[in-house]
Amino acid sequence: MAARRIARRDLPDALRVAPGTRFRLRDPEASRTFGWAREEVELATRENLARLSELQYKMFADGRFSMLVVLQAIDGGGKDSTIRRVFSAFNPQGCSVTAFKVPSEEERRHDFLWRIHRRVPARGEVAVFNRSHYEDVLVVRVENLVPEAVWSRRYAQINDFESMLVANDTRVVKVFLQISREEQKRRFEERLAERSKQWKFDPGDLDKRARWDDYRVAFEAALSRCSTESAPWYAIPADRKWFRDFAVSQLLRQELERLPLRWPKPAFDARGIRIV
Ligand code: AMP
Ligand code: MG
């Protein structure tokens, strides 16, 4: 049965994790395309990227708002390629990307949000997080890196932190790239088989894969507890890269279109100035 197509404008809503509900991750959902076919989607994505360029330019000029995009996924979920393919729309001047790794010695001597807060966007800018403070309730929870009494308080701390950012004119857009266990296997095999991808393979990722269900539960908790009205989570079906890029670009486009962006008013009368 062909799925009925969801209108482009309605996609973000369809992918939004409704605040206050219990979110469940199911593998078959990772390959959904909402009735869209690849050819039409590729055209729509190109259009979205062009529009994103314009919107970012105006946001930078306006200088009042910023956008933080949080990308989370299991290993092989496509965070890097989403950054390469979607965020290429943005002028590097005005866009930063931070990849959060295992915390350094110095970072560990601070609270878990310290290294995060330093990387949030300034007014006018876009910041992309490749992994984020959510690792502190994902890998940290599953691997028991801190006691439950510590990580269990972090959901509320994260919600407070994000709501503070939103209140200070930052759009917080949280994107979970959902791939199936089968697709992860395929991508790991590809990493092993292709010389140019071997550097991305981390044998430690196999230990995480072995704990798929524990990670699923941790992701479900993070998305259920931290999808809020002001900073909702979006669960993007990411088995098909072309659909993933379409959905992410559509979501970002609509986020930016919601901002009341305007060109700054010049402090001079342009008509009264003659360049000789
Ligand atoms: P990658 O993104 O593939 O370069 O891998 C980065 C690694 O750092 C992943 O295994 C993450 O789980 C890990 N990582 C990121 N943040 C944290 C954190 N707060 N605590 C522990 N491990 C982390
Ligand atoms: Mg990795």
Side-chain angles (χ1 to χ4, degrees):
M1 189 185 77
R4 198 154 58 84
R5 179 147 115 185
I6 289 200
R8 196 167 161 179
R9 289 254 134 210
D10 297 332
L11 253 187
D13 265 354
L15 300 172
R16 188 162 162 271
V17 176
T21 60
R22 184 155 179 269
F23 174 73
R24 310 203 76 211
L25 270 176
R26 299 185 183 88
D27 266 16
E29 299 191 344
S31 55
R32 285 180 302 169
T33 60
F34 294 90
W36 286 81
R38 180 168 187 161
E39 313 75 57
E40 357 169 57
V41 156
E42 282 171 347
L43 186 69
T45 303
R46 276 201 297 280
E47 215 174 85
N48 284 345
L49 298 189
R51 181 78 180 122
L52 278 174
S53 285
E54 295 170 0
L55 288 161
Q56 184 218 5
Y57 186 71
K58 194 163 184 182
M59 184 171 78
F60 187 78
D62 181 318
R64 292 178 300 154
F65 305 98
S66 63
M67 179 167 73
L68 169 62
V69 184
V70 170
L71 285 177
Q72 286 287 164
I74 53 156
D75 303 300
K79 300 184 295 296
D80 296 326
S81 78
T82 302
I83 292 171
R84 196 172 61 243
R85 290 157 57 143
V86 177
F87 292 85
S88 56
F90 294 140
N91 179 348
Q93 173 153 286
C95 180
S96 64
V97 180
T98 308
F100 290 97
K101 309 287 182 182
V102 176
S104 68
E105 183 66 39
E106 187 190 23
E107 286 167 347
R108 264 185 288 127
R109 301 210 318 272
H110 292 270
D111 69 86
F112 78 106
L113 291 171
W114 180 75
R115 65 174 184 161
I116 305 296
H117 204 169
R118 290 154 52 110
R119 299 295 184 166
V120 302
R123 290 182 193 277
E125 299 186 356
V126 177
V128 184
F129 285 179
N130 181 342
R131 305 185 189 271
S132 66
H133 42 304
Y134 283 92
E135 292 292 321
D136 293 282
V137 290
L138 293 167
V139 63
V140 168
R141 168 179 169 157
V142 174
E143 310 292 341
N144 285 310
L145 302 181
V146 301
E148 177 167 358
V150 174
W151 62 251
S152 62
R153 280 198 299 264
R154 289 182 172 166
Y155 300 96
Q157 291 163 352
I158 287 173
N159 288 345
D160 287 346
F161 171 67
E162 291 176 356
S163 105
M164 182 276 293
L165 295 179
V166 172
N168 284 279
D169 304 319
T170 300
R171 298 290 316 158
V172 179
V173 187
K174 301 183 292 195
V175 175
F176 170 66
L177 303 175
Q178 183 187 357
I179 60 164
S180 60
R181 192 169 150 80
E182 202 37 50
E183 178 66 14
Q184 189 192 47
K185 177 171 189 272
R186 223 185 48 72
R187 292 189 187 180
F188 280 178
E189 283 169 352
E190 192 176 297
R191 281 183 185 179
L192 284 172
E194 279 185 41
R195 187 63 193 92
S196 63
K197 290 190 176 169
Q198 283 170 358
W199 66 277
K200 290 196 97 168
F201 186 79
D202 176 357
D205 291 350
L206 295 182
D207 302 331
K208 288 187 177 169
R209 178 173 169 80
R211 310 193 62 176
W212 182 274
D213 268 332
D214 295 332
Y215 275 96
R216 184 178 51 74
V217 168
F219 271 110
E220 286 178 347
L223 270 67
S224 301
R225 298 173 71 173
C226 298
S227 195
T228 58
E229 291 295 341
S230 59
W233 268 105
Y234 293 87
I236 309 289
D239 273 6
R240 296 187 171 94
K241 294 176 183 171
W242 53 266
F243 184 80
R244 173 200 73 196
D245 294 346
F246 171 52
V248 173
S249 61
Q250 186 67 31
L251 166 63
L252 298 180
R253 172 186 179 161
Q254 286 179 223
E255 280 292 330
L256 291 182
E257 283 176 343
R258 277 227 295 268
L259 293 174
L261 298 177
R262 58 175 194 231
W263 300 110
K265 205 171 147 55
F268 48 83
D269 178 2
R271 285 163 313 170
I273 297 180
R274 209 162 65 84
I275 314 288
V276 291

